[in-house]
Amino acid sequence: MTAGYLSIPTTATAQKERSSSAAVRVRGLSVKLASRTLIDDVSVTFPEKRITAIVGPTGCGKTTLLRSINRMHDHSPGITVSGDITVGDTHVYGATTHLRELRRRVGMLFQRANPFPQSIEDNVGIAPRAHGMVSRRQSRELVEQQLIEVGLWEAVKDRLSSSPFTLSGGQQQLLCLARTLALSPEVLLLDEPTSALDPGTTEHIEALLKRLRERMTILIVTHNLSQALRISDEVAFFMAGKLVEHATSNTFFHEAADQRSRDYVSGRVG
Amino acid sequence: MAVIEADAGGTPAAGAATPPRPSLATEMTRGDRILKVVATVAAAIPGGLVAFLAAIMLVTALPAIIFNGTNFFTGTVFSLGHLYTTNTVTHNGEVAPSGASYGALSFIIGTFSTSVIALLLAIPVSVGGVLMLTEWFPRRIQGFLSIFLELLAGIPSVVFGLWGITIFAPYMAQHVYPALSHIGTVIPWFKGPIIQDGEGLLSAALVLGIMVIPIIASTTRELVRQVPVLAREGALALGMTRYEMVRTVVIPYIRRGIFAASLLGWGRALGETIAVLLISGNALNSLPHSIFSPISTIAATIASVLDGALTDFTGMGIHALAELGLLLLIISLITNFAGRLVVRRLASGALPVGRGV
């Protein structure tokens, strides 16, 4: 699985594949931890330039599904993934897939802010430099641009060289978002990104996601149904590792086809 | 304790009508009292021992301190004098055998040079090795190789000394040092001559380095394990390679701890006695002019000279060794405190190790 891990794609390919969004197609995906099945034969397509909320009770495999898409399971011994996932035309688990380039195209934001123990500026600039997308000199510009994008620039412009741990939790999460966006991803994976944040920052991030939808595919795992209602175009509802229902938000919240979905929406389950 | 008492004192005022609640801090059973006494004694033991030891050393060393004056720090000749005659010399009112001179400069230099070179070798090897082990090796091999690290830590230092003097030093003197001495044309410290069996500064430092590796490596391993998984995943999710992740995330997280671990290792290297005594060439009267020169350290000198000093009829030999011991004690305390200070200063840079998991 990790054969192509250390190979570095040329800047040319990186340039070429940038700034386009891509649909994520999941076909017959199963994920097992030892003998326990976490995801059971799931097929679903997440359309491009849409926000899809992935919802379901705790332990239903939402996060596991999300982590399959950028192959985070590669680093967890004991987890086996079978089936096929494509991002655009790229087979995520293909033998010739460059993991490095895949992860450039598929960004991820975690449940809690995890800034690097580096300066605020380097937090945003370090990955684009590592990918050869910008030179050290250009990186300053990119950093500013991304921090403006997420609305953090005014707060940090005078202390770019200080530690990100001096920022508030919400600001740290925004910094992590800027860090992810700096790679111009086509797909954005969000694992309950606002569950540890205050309502103000949550609202800010939600507005941001609606804006980002115009240029990328967004998948958001959330426990917060009202959040899903507010921002998502589509909803994928999971229970016990299986996809129960995938519908537009409007349909899911108001006239879901499956009884279990209706129970979940009305708060009887989960 | 203070907090509890303050709390207990505050409560009765709140309910003036009700009788004061019995305070937990004052209500003590016999068991509590015994525990209190035992705990107080136990808590006082470490500090008390250090103070007691330092006091004894100071008292024993005092005649030598008066006799030596500054010669102790500037003199390069360490001799107990003529112990088989009854001739004595008097200096600053203190009596010593004739010919006695207690200059410790070469030991001070020997102690610092061996321990610093040992650290320079041990830090990159241990940190690099541990990162290699934890980041790139499969978990099963990690456990297996870690056993050897612990075994290395358990080898008695006299075994290191014996191995050093019988196998390691002669081998190095024959095969490695001659090549190394070519650097001497550029950096004078690398110029020979090389002692045939390899006894000297570099051999002692190398063996010390090997002895220090397990200390630094095992601490580093614990530090690496404490790096939050979430922080690592943040780097990996951005498509960074393992090397880039280690550089961006792991090393900044463990940097401060490595510094502390190095100080632990330094403490060990400063005080190591028997291995250095066997390998250093035990030079009591000369300053090293190159890394191949025979040297001696403070600790090794105390061990090697003690026998002779005990036969000193004036007692000054023992006093002089006590002064050496006192110096070693002070150096150890200073490095320890300096280390703590630096660790605390770095800590104020706010690096929340463990946050986010």
Side-chain angles (χ1 to χ4, degrees):
Chain A
M1 281 301 193
T2 54
Y5 191 54
L6 284 170
S7 47
I8 298 158
T10 60
T11 327
T13 49
Q15 297 278 347
K16 197 182 68 195
E17 289 174 49
R18 209 177 302 162
S19 72
S20 59
S21 70
V24 176
R25 288 182 194 80
V26 177
R27 290 286 165 270
L29 179 76
S30 291
V31 181
K32 286 195 173 79
L33 174 61
S35 59
R36 205 156 64 87
T37 303
L38 304 176
I39 299 256
D40 190 5
D41 191 23
V42 165
S43 296
V44 58
T45 298
F46 302 109
E48 57 185 303
K49 298 183 182 175
R50 287 281 183 281
I51 299 178
T52 305
I54 300 174
V55 299
T58 305
C60 70
K62 305 184 295 289
T63 299
T64 308
L65 171 70
L66 207 65
R67 290 167 67 91
S68 306
I69 299 169
N70 67 345
R71 280 176 57 173
M72 287 309 283
H73 295 311
D74 284 16
H75 311 287
S76 316
I79 289 199
T80 49
V81 179
S82 58
D84 184 41
I85 299 177
T86 53
V87 171
D89 297 329
T90 311
H91 288 268
V92 170
Y93 288 91
T96 57
T97 302
H98 286 296
L99 191 51
R100 191 174 166 81
E101 175 59 10
L102 174 79
R103 286 184 179 159
R104 200 223 22 96
R105 295 172 56 204
V106 182
M108 188 171 206
L109 194 61
F110 295 82
Q111 198 169 354
R112 290 172 66 183
N114 54 352
F116 297 142
Q118 306 277 345
S119 71
I120 290 174
E121 180 176 359
D122 276 344
N123 258 277
V124 180
I126 212 162
R129 286 205 300 274
H131 281 272
M133 293 164 68
V134 288
S135 67
R136 189 165 267 279
R137 197 141 39 89
Q138 295 166 309
S139 122
R140 188 69 187 246
E141 207 177 307
L142 180 72
V143 169
E144 180 176 346
Q145 196 185 316
Q146 297 306 328
L147 289 174
I148 289 173
E149 166 101 62
V150 300
L152 198 57
W153 176 250
E154 285 303 318
V156 302
K157 66 179 178 189
D158 296 324
R159 44 171 174 164
L160 287 176
S161 53
S162 51
S163 163
F165 299 112
T166 59
L167 301 174
S168 74
Q171 288 175 324
Q172 289 187 25
Q173 188 67 309
L174 285 177
L175 182 68
C176 293
L177 182 58
R179 176 175 83 179
T180 307
L181 294 178
L183 292 176
S184 318
E186 298 157 34
V187 178
L188 194 56
L189 308 174
L190 306 153
D191 187 4
E192 295 186 54
T194 60
S195 62
L197 300 184
D198 61 282
T201 316
T202 302
E203 201 185 327
H204 179 74
I205 287 184
E206 286 176 4
L208 207 57
L209 293 179
K210 283 185 187 166
R211 192 142 48 83
L212 290 170
R213 161 175 59 185
E214 286 160 23
R215 33 182 241 253
M216 57 190 75
T217 309
I218 297 176
L219 304 185
I220 178 167
V221 165
T222 181
H223 267 294
N224 184 340
L225 276 182
S226 44
Q227 179 172 56
L229 182 61
R230 280 195 301 271
I231 61 168
S232 69
D233 301 299
E234 300 191 356
V235 175
F237 174 55
F238 286 82
M239 271 181 99
K242 282 186 193 294
L243 178 69
V244 175
E245 187 163 354
H246 179 206
T248 64
S249 296
N250 206 17
T251 311
F252 181 78
F253 281 107
H254 299 114
E255 41 192 321
D258 197 289
Q259 180 60 40
R260 287 169 295 176
S261 306
R262 289 196 292 273
D263 286 348
Y264 186 69
V265 169
S266 63
R268 269 187 293 250
V269 180
Chain B
M1 198 58 128
V3 175
I4 295 170
E5 275 164 359
D7 197 21
T11 34
T18 55
R21 247 191 306 159
S23 158
L24 275 179
T26 51
E27 188 187 27
M28 289 174 79
T29 64
R30 200 166 57 136
D32 279 313
R33 274 190 289 274
I34 293 171
L35 182 67
K36 188 179 176 186
V37 171
V38 172
T40 310
V41 170
I45 282 177
L49 263 180
V50 170
F52 179 67
L53 211 72
I56 293 284
M57 292 291 274
L58 185 64
V59 169
T60 318
L62 207 55
I65 295 172
I66 295 167
F67 179 84
N68 292 327
T70 55
N71 181 53
F72 182 74
F73 296 102
T74 56
T76 55
V77 176
F78 193 95
S79 166
L80 293 174
H82 308 295
L83 299 180
Y84 301 108
T85 68
T86 49
N87 300 334
T88 60
V89 290
T90 308
H91 188 243
N92 291 342
E94 296 290 340
V95 180
S98 68
S101 169
Y102 308 108
L105 181 63
S106 48
F107 312 143
I108 297 171
I109 291 175
T111 302
F112 277 103
S113 54
T114 48
S115 59
V116 169
I117 294 175
L119 275 190
L120 288 181
L121 294 162
I123 294 170
V125 169
S126 349
V127 174
V130 165
L131 285 176
M132 192 77 194
L133 205 65
T134 52
E135 304 301 321
W136 280 278
F137 280 38
R139 212 159 283 186
R140 217 174 312 149
I141 298 177
Q142 264 181 50
F144 182 68
L145 289 178
S146 297
I147 295 172
F148 286 98
L149 206 61
E150 266 129 47
L151 283 179
L152 197 63
I155 296 175
S157 57
V158 66
V159 175
F160 273 109
L162 266 179
W163 169 76
I165 197 59
T166 55
I167 297 163
F168 179 72
Y171 178 87
M172 295 298 277
Q174 270 189 3
H175 301 287
V176 181
Y177 292 168
L180 212 55
S181 68
H182 289 306
I183 306 175
T185 52
V186 190
I187 307 166
W189 287 352
F190 283 83
K191 216 174 273 175
I194 299 158
I195 312 275
Q196 200 196 339
D197 287 332
E199 298 161 313
L201 205 171
L202 188 56
S203 298
L206 287 170
V207 172
L208 267 184
I210 298 172
M211 295 171 72
V212 169
I213 283 173
I215 297 175
I216 303 181
S218 57
T219 315
T220 308
R221 196 178 45 159
E222 291 313 308
L223 290 167
V224 172
R225 282 189 188 156
Q226 284 168 22
V227 175
V229 175
L230 192 65
R232 292 164 171 276
E233 287 191 335
L236 294 173
L238 289 171
M240 290 190 170
T241 60
R242 270 187 192 275
Y243 164 71
E244 286 163 349
M245 177 197 66
V246 166
R247 212 183 44 179
T248 338
V249 177
V250 177
I251 290 179
Y253 265 110
I254 65 176
R255 205 180 285 147
R256 178 157 49 101
I258 288 175
F259 187 84
S262 305
L263 281 169
L264 270 179
W266 197 14
R268 168 91 203 256
L270 281 172
E272 175 50 41
T273 308
I274 190 70
V276 178
L277 178 60
L278 291 174
I279 312 164
S280 65
N282 203 18
L284 291 186
N285 299 320
S286 66
L287 287 173
H289 15 239
S290 83
I291 53 169
F292 305 112
S293 302
I295 45 103
S296 188
T297 64
I298 298 171
T301 304
I302 294 175
S304 72
V305 176
L306 182 63
D307 239 12
L310 284 170
T311 66
D312 186 339
F313 53 92
T314 66
M316 190 52 77
I318 290 297
H319 298 316
L321 292 190
E323 192 176 358
L324 279 176
L326 189 65
L327 178 65
L328 189 57
L329 188 70
I330 292 169
I331 292 174
S332 306
L333 289 180
I334 288 176
T335 52
N336 221 309
F337 277 120
R340 275 163 206 277
L341 211 69
V342 176
V343 167
R344 200 173 308 157
R345 171 115 31 106
L346 290 174
S348 64
L351 219 181
V353 173
R355 178 170 180 159
V357 191

